[in-house]
Amino acid sequence: MTKKAAKAHAINEGLTNAQAEKYSAYYRRKTVLPKRDSERTRTYEAEWKFEREHRGLMGKLDEFSDVEKFVKQVTASKTWEKVSRYHGKVRVVKARNMGCRAAFVGRSYGSWLEISPAFDYTKYIVLHELAHSAGYSHHHVTFRECLLKLVSRFLGREAASILKANFKENGLRVTPAKPKEPIAWLRAAQRAPLSRAA
């Protein structure tokens, strides 16, 4: 829902024009993600902990051809259809091997992935990059929500549960905040000290 639609919804629910304006600003704050990828480091730290402590759950892939097959398997699944904003084909290419100088494990460019052969191939790396290709270029809550659904389906519930706990331990949400409906928001705002809702 856009800011304008949120205001119209609030007016339809009986809020005054001034209250509806404030509600639409509240709604936007709750639903629009920051432009900066401010949660990337904490997301990576949670993932690195998962990799360190549960290497066996990462889903090792032996050859690059296994990576290609896995990408096809994921993108042909019902889960992908549900979580992805992008429903076209996703292809995967092998990055040039830079050895220990490689600056990345994998990258997503939307409709294609680049995976570095300088590191072990794992299903987790592929799923991380596919979560980006699903339409979440940042590392915010919507990315983590998508990633956890992919991990649960393709690495198992145990892996998803551990990763989810790591995210939470790092102070990261795993489901987007749901904004209050206009009347509930107004009641909460009116109970708050120095309320400006009225």
Side-chain angles (χ1 to χ4, degrees):
M1 186 161 48
T2 64
K3 190 175 178 185
K4 190 175 179 179
K7 181 179 178 181
H9 177 55
I11 288 171
N12 287 343
E13 292 291 309
L15 274 65
T16 66
N17 194 54
Q19 291 168 337
E21 191 66 44
K22 289 176 183 173
Y23 174 77
S24 69
Y26 153 80
Y27 186 90
R28 183 167 172 74
R29 281 193 312 275
K30 283 288 187 185
T31 57
V32 175
L33 295 169
K35 288 184 179 162
R36 271 183 49 239
D37 196 358
S38 56
E39 296 175 344
R40 181 176 59 182
T41 301
R42 286 186 294 152
T43 298
Y44 284 164
E45 286 168 351
E47 291 178 314
W48 294 333
K49 181 180 179 188
F50 174 66
E51 183 180 11
R52 265 192 328 271
E53 296 176 359
H54 303 281
R55 198 153 188 71
L57 295 176
M58 297 288 285
K60 189 169 181 339
L61 297 167
D62 296 319
E63 305 289 333
F64 187 73
S65 59
D66 297 328
V67 172
E68 293 173 308
K69 285 176 198 163
F70 185 60
V71 168
K72 284 180 185 170
Q73 178 193 354
V74 174
T75 57
S77 71
K78 294 262 188 221
T79 302
W80 177 257
E81 199 175 301
K82 287 177 189 168
V83 301
S84 179
R85 296 175 179 173
Y86 171 79
H87 297 294
K89 262 186 164 178
V90 177
R91 70 183 181 92
V92 61
V93 297
K94 188 193 292 188
R96 214 177 73 188
N97 192 347
M98 306 273 296
C100 62
R101 294 178 300 135
F104 68 95
V105 177
R107 289 182 181 151
S108 167
Y109 298 94
S111 63
W112 62 283
L113 309 178
E114 187 177 20
I115 304 293
S116 173
F119 303 90
D120 289 341
Y121 298 130
T122 69
K123 289 180 178 181
Y124 184 80
I125 289 168
V126 173
L127 293 175
H128 177 106
E129 298 311 327
L130 281 172
H132 288 309
S133 287
Y136 307 100
S137 57
H138 49 70
H139 293 84
H140 295 302
V141 63
T142 50
F143 165 81
R144 291 188 298 275
E145 180 183 44
C146 175
L147 177 61
L148 285 169
K149 286 177 182 174
L150 291 172
V151 168
S152 181
R153 168 64 181 83
F154 295 100
L155 292 179
R157 288 183 183 174
E158 180 189 3
S161 178
I162 293 165
L163 187 59
K164 183 178 183 178
N166 287 1
F167 287 146
K168 286 184 172 186
E169 189 179 293
N170 272 21
L172 297 166
R173 294 181 60 90
V174 292
T175 53
K178 191 174 179 192
K180 292 180 172 83
E181 284 295 311
I183 299 297
W185 168 82
L186 182 61
R187 285 184 187 136
Q190 287 173 337
R191 282 194 304 267
L194 301 173
S195 171
R196 294 181 186 161

